[in-house]
Amino acid sequence: MPILTGSARLAGIIGWPVSHSRSPRLHGFWLERHKIDGAYVPLPIRPADMPTAVRGLMQAGFAGANVTIPNKMAAFEACDTVDETARKAGAVNTLVFKDGKISGSNTDGHGFLANLRAHGVDPAAGPALLLGAGGSARAVVPVLQDLGVQVTVANRTRAKADDLARELPGLRVVDWDRRSDALGDHALLVNTTSLGMHGQNPVEIDLSRAAKGLAVCDIVYVPLETPLLAAARAHGLRCVEGLGMLLHQAVPGFKAWFGFEPVVDDDLRRFVASDLL
Ligand code: ATR
């Protein structure tokens, strides 16, 4: 931890609980690498306390904060203004405090796209099939649609996918049981469910039915190589791991708070990955 001056910039990660978050480690790496006079700290805040706590952080001189589960919706409500990314996702993961105003955005979609591109995958190569209709899907669907991609969602609870399709016109829905049938028509498969996470069941899908050249992206990053990605690799499909999304979603916030646009590289990836399990 560097020695701070009286004009150090302050930011942090809001969550409840927040102790599992890798964001302090991630931002700390950049702060140290660039010898920035600033700190990024864990901020355990109950969702119900968000309106008071967020304004309090601003009043205490913080430059802003990231927000993680389960506070992203409460963060949306606590903002004075939200941008298009937050509105479409219905959630805020990045807060910036400026001139006494709280502004919110959602950089998860940006992180998702940047991660695909960093792996040499064109997100707009063809139709995308998403597994899941939760908070992560909500962030991913709009950025794909903005690129003109036809997106299909399969979710265990069909009603949740139908709700999402009402909010995001153009979104197609297929039954969870038909996800393998749908594979052949898609260029990109994205797991946005919690399946495959350490201690959970793996995603079950028949990758032998995939179109040639399918890219498979998992937003789960613990473990780094999920059973889905291992299966995709065994089928000779292109794989995109989820850690990169976490790393890339952090860039816009860091730039806004600390005035420097950091890069995502292998040193950062190794540093954050070394502490995953
Ligand atoms: P997040 O914000 O990470 O997306 P979430 O909003 O809780 O988290 O969403 C979790 C997603 O994983 C949902 O799409 C959920 O499906 P349901 O809507 O049917 O609950 C999906 N999911 C979780 N466990 C699952 C399981 N065992 N089988 C299939 N889908 C599962």
Side-chain angles (χ1 to χ4, degrees):
M1 185 75 179
I3 308 267
L4 303 175
T5 75
S7 49
R9 309 275 296 167
L10 297 177
I13 171 80
I14 296 171
W16 186 262
V18 77
S19 54
H20 65 280
S21 173
R22 275 80 184 192
S23 291
R25 194 170 162 82
L26 156 55
H27 286 270
F29 179 90
W30 283 329
L31 288 169
E32 183 165 304
R33 171 186 269 179
H34 301 294
K35 305 277 177 282
I36 290 171
D37 184 21
Y40 184 103
V41 295
L43 298 163
I45 296 171
R46 287 185 175 82
D49 292 335
M50 283 294 279
T52 324
V54 170
R55 205 152 289 275
L57 286 172
M58 178 168 69
Q59 286 162 348
F62 270 63
N66 281 129
V67 185
T68 188
I69 290 165
N71 291 26
K72 291 184 184 186
M73 314 254 252
F76 187 101
E77 299 302 325
C79 288
D80 296 312
T81 59
V82 293
D83 72 4
E84 188 73 4
T85 60
R87 220 180 347 265
K88 285 191 173 170
V92 159
N93 79 334
T94 305
L95 296 165
V96 175
F97 307 146
K98 204 166 169 230
D99 302 328
K101 292 266 181 264
I102 303 167
S103 53
S105 60
N106 192 311
T107 65
D108 286 335
H110 159 82
F112 169 75
L113 292 182
N115 186 34
L116 285 181
R117 291 180 175 130
H119 284 80
V121 171
D122 174 7
L129 176 62
L130 255 72
L131 306 180
S136 308
R138 239 167 234 280
V140 166
V141 174
V143 293
L144 287 172
Q145 286 186 328
D146 285 350
L147 293 174
V149 175
Q150 173 63 60
V151 185
T152 304
V153 162
N155 193 51
R156 176 181 60 177
T157 310
R158 165 96 193 201
K160 259 173 79 178
D162 290 335
D163 285 348
L164 198 58
R166 266 188 292 276
E167 281 175 48
L168 300 169
L171 182 64
R172 286 192 190 142
V173 178
V174 294
D175 278 341
W176 180 244
D177 292 343
R178 303 298 303 272
R179 60 197 185 281
S180 294
D181 303 333
L183 257 186
D185 304 327
H186 293 88
L188 176 65
L189 171 68
V190 186
N191 174 43
T192 75
T193 74
S194 47
L195 290 171
M197 207 178 272
H198 185 65
Q200 299 233 22
N201 292 328
V203 171
E204 284 176 25
I205 191 160
D206 182 3
L207 291 177
S208 69
R209 302 180 64 182
K212 206 164 152 273
L214 177 79
V216 179
C217 175
D218 206 327
I219 68 159
V220 171
Y221 57 85
V222 184
L224 217 46
E225 180 161 274
T226 60
L228 174 65
L229 291 178
R233 209 174 293 285
H235 280 85
L237 302 171
R238 286 179 303 162
C239 294
V240 181
E241 41 61 38
L243 180 62
M245 178 170 165
L246 172 76
L247 305 180
H248 283 282
Q249 64 76 32
V251 172
F254 191 94
K255 184 180 176 196
W257 308 317
F258 301 114
F260 183 90
E261 185 165 354
V263 295
V264 171
D265 61 12
D266 284 343
D267 286 343
L268 173 71
R269 191 178 298 275
R270 268 193 297 273
F271 180 73
V272 177
S274 68
D275 191 41
L276 280 185
L277 269 182

